[in-house]
Amino acid sequence: MWRVALCIAFLSLLTETSHAQLIAENTTTPVDVTFARPPAVEAGQEWQVKGENTSSQTITLVLRLDDAQSVDYYSRVNIERVIPPGPFVFRLDTSGLKTENKRLLDLQHVRRLMLFVGRDQPAVRVEKIEIATTFSLPVGVYGWDLGSATSPLYPGFKRLTPLDKEVEGVALKSVARSGGDALLSDGIRGLERVRLRVPNGKYRVTLWVDDLGEWEYLPHSLARAVWANERKVWNEAFTEQQWLEQKYLVGRVSEAVVEGDVWDIIGARRGGQLTFVSEVTTNDLTLRFEGKLPDDRYLAGVLVEPASSEEGLRKLTQSRRERFMETWRVGPMDVPPRPTKASAWLQAFAVPFKIEKASALEPKPRFQAAPGTGITFDAVIVSDRDDGHPAVALTEPRLSDQQKLSSHVRYGHWSYERPASSSTILEVRADQLRSDLGQLKLYSAMPRRLNVDIQVPRAAQSGIYRGELQIATGPDFISLPFEVEVLTVSLPELNVPVGVYLERLPFWDWFPGLRNQGRAATECDLAYLRELGLTGVAPPLATPTLKPNDFQQDLVAARNAGFAQDLLAYAPVKRLIAQLGAENIGPALAKASLDARRAGLEPPVWAIADEPGRDAEALAQIAMLSKSLRFAVPNIKLAVQLNHPSQKSVLDAVDVALVNTGYGVSAADISEIKRHGSQAWLYNMPDARLAAGFYLWRVGAQGYLQWHARMPTADPFDPTDGREADIQLLLPTKEICPKIPDIHARLLAISQGIVDLRWLLWLEQHSNEPAAGALRARLIREISDNWGTAKGRTDQFDLWRAEIVRVALATRKVSFTNGIALTAPAHP
């Protein structure tokens, strides 16, 4: 039966397939094929794997290809796909395949193919592995795919490179981009003319003129034009602000599922598709490109078909859609059934957001909070109808007319997100929290998340504050009352840095008219992060040698925002090495540190390596750099980010070792770092609340920074356009300093983890009291000091904190001296 289902699912693909060369069929993983004679490969063909994940869990499928030069992991092709349950197609263009060490796979000497799943994962059924031509353009339709001679070639298209006679321009350069669309993943910039030979006639021409970008860079043309046979067919002109709103932020609007699938929301809008009609009278279609910069004169692909037909574009779009959705599979999601009427309930805050089938809280819940902390919770709305203009109002919790708590309500925007940075699967999540309630819509097909975030000032009077969340949709009015009890307990302030990495959004530096606004935007970011209780930050810092005044102002901005703990200078040393060479940066850091101290500022902790190589030479260079910098600046503080146990040899060379799960973050790992005289900070942890609170306390780490507050990859609302996902806790908006920032829910998780940690420090201070001491001992037993087992207890966070609160309320001594040292709790 499963074969029948697969045949039906893939019928549209099978009808396109021709010239297939079968490798294997009707089997299960693992598949291991050694070729006595290398398979013959023709231009435009693809490796294809069709099968079914019959399990109920998501698996990682790996396709491995070896050629005659392959001797280890780095010298072969290893392509991973994350596969949810159900049928799948795993497809690779035969051209442009590169090994892990960036060598082009020798297609004439492929000698081995392996297909296997991740360790301890269930096998998948394999219907067929073949090399096939699965797409061709209709007769009379012509296609050109621009890029390098070794980049992927879209099936049915002809390759054009900067060296071909059809291409003209100054400083031509091919570019290669990531993503699931082979037509858009490469192109040529710096073009002046492209001459294409086609028979005389009237044609519908489609161009793709947008470079997808890479890492944080997104090409940002303000003025460009295209001419076809000396007729202007396209002209684009933006102001800086218009480009920001209409290009950079355009992906912010549409919502996953309710407004389209992953192709509709992401794939279809990328690439700058441009279609026009042009007549050819000299067997020559000449395209001319206008623009000041090479980025303005870019082309990824060309499709030419008779003007009377759109069959070529229709078939190509369908083919691109299939390939994009094969690459970016969407995991399953759990949605409650459509109700008979609108209803809503309050439930506990969670990341990722989980939809409870019924209220997880009492009808009128009471939240407890100490002064100087915050609380957050969610509401879920389910509706029996679509409503484009529901009304949502939050009555801030009040003790009296003069006493109220600052509160914000945001809604969860449904988006496609990568659950892990390098994942090839997407999940539908509502963790992007938007503040523009005027844009809120309700859908009968999907619940709606509302998030309420409440900050309790340090001077807040104790007592019961009463608030209400109100929702009006159609004839239905829903009231969700709640209470906040401000306690008389005084919690200690943190004396360790717990926070985030932060950079300016890249577009502030792309345009002269916006550049001066970048500093104001950063100051707002810092103020908001501190408002949430964060105590640590790796702030954006200018390179000291290039802009010494800016560097000092950047330090001042972080200190003025209230970040009193060690600041991590993440990027300056890296930039200085690129500018001056590692052996020459000592004087620059000495001057920057001296200037900071003269201004009354504590210099930052300078990061001198970021996840360095594991070989002895690379690690020795870090030690040598540390030695030379300490000679130049005797009181300098140095840091390094480590992601593998083999890097332990550098611990003696630094003052701060930032470690993640790749290095090891157990209590034993943290203790070993401390024995070397270094502070141990966590970074880039998978569960932000656990890392910021209970786990940091349990293992005795002395800091934690999460990557990253503002690190979008190219388009900030396209998770597929880079080798890594968009990592951003503060979401970009057109406002310089929005009153209520758009954020990712993970930022609130860090804030809540800090509140957990402060309650734990209260518990430490009172551990000589019988009830507090007993609870502390039990938490030590219940919270694992190994990340692999600790991360399974996330449902316990609120319960653990509530137990500490109960003990605190029963304890007479409810205040103490702030600022205790954070050490790993000893076992009782």
Side-chain angles (χ1 to χ4, degrees), residues 57-261:
Q57 69 182 70
T58 297
I59 59 97
T60 300
L61 188 64
V62 182
L63 178 65
R64 165 184 161 179
L65 294 170
D66 296 48
D67 63 13
Q69 301 177 54
S70 300
V71 294
D72 56 15
Y73 174 83
Y74 298 99
S75 58
R76 62 180 184 248
V77 170
N78 305 278
I79 305 293
E80 292 187 4
R81 290 286 187 272
V82 181
I83 307 294
F88 67 87
V89 178
F90 185 169
R91 195 185 328 233
L92 290 175
D93 190 282
T94 54
S95 58
L97 287 175
K98 292 184 178 180
T99 62
E100 296 295 324
N101 58 15
K102 308 305 179 185
R103 178 179 60 82
L104 194 66
L105 185 74
D106 184 354
L107 290 174
Q108 304 307 313
H109 295 90
V110 175
R111 57 185 178 85
R112 190 179 187 186
L113 175 147
M114 294 182 67
L115 184 73
F116 53 92
V117 299
R119 181 177 298 176
D120 299 326
Q121 292 183 340
V124 300
R125 287 175 171 169
V126 179
E127 180 198 12
K128 188 179 296 184
I129 303 176
E130 62 183 354
I131 301 173
T133 301
T134 59
F135 175 77
S136 59
L137 293 172
V139 175
V141 179
Y142 309 91
W144 290 266
D145 187 355
L146 285 77
S148 73
T150 60
S151 61
L153 176 66
Y154 201 89
F157 278 63
K158 179 183 177 182
R159 189 190 304 278
L160 278 183
T161 78
L163 300 178
D164 289 324
K165 66 180 185 303
E166 294 93 337
V167 176
E168 301 176 19
V170 178
L172 292 171
K173 185 176 181 180
S174 62
V175 299
R177 304 305 189 196
S178 303
D181 191 327
L183 185 62
L184 304 185
S185 64
D186 54 359
I188 300 176
R189 65 184 176 195
L191 292 166
E192 291 181 359
R193 285 182 178 81
V194 175
R195 300 180 186 273
L196 305 173
R197 300 293 292 174
V198 295
N200 290 341
K202 200 169 187 179
Y203 291 97
R204 187 180 307 277
V205 181
T206 302
L207 310 180
W208 288 266
V209 296
D210 279 357
D211 179 354
L212 297 183
E214 189 68 277
W215 295 117
E216 68 269 28
Y217 180 74
L218 183 66
H220 39 277
S221 302
L222 296 182
R224 52 184 178 160
V226 175
W227 296 69
N229 288 348
E230 299 310 314
R231 181 174 68 90
K232 184 179 282 190
V233 294
W234 181 65
N235 187 64
E236 182 179 71
F238 292 115
T239 65
E240 295 172 347
Q241 190 66 31
Q242 285 172 337
W243 182 90
L244 177 63
E245 296 178 20
Q246 297 177 36
K247 299 289 282 189
Y248 195 73
L249 300 175
V250 68
R252 175 178 180 267
V253 178
S254 299
E255 289 194 273
V257 180
V258 289
E259 296 184 52
D261 58 28

Side-chain angles (χ1 to χ4, degrees), residues 29 48 80 161 244 405 519 560 575 596 619 767 774-775 800:
T29 55
Q48 266 199 136
E80 292 187 4
T161 78
L244 177 63
L405 304 178
R519 181 172 297 281
N560 286 348
R575 296 195 210 110
L619 299 175
S767 59
L775 177 57
W800 283 333

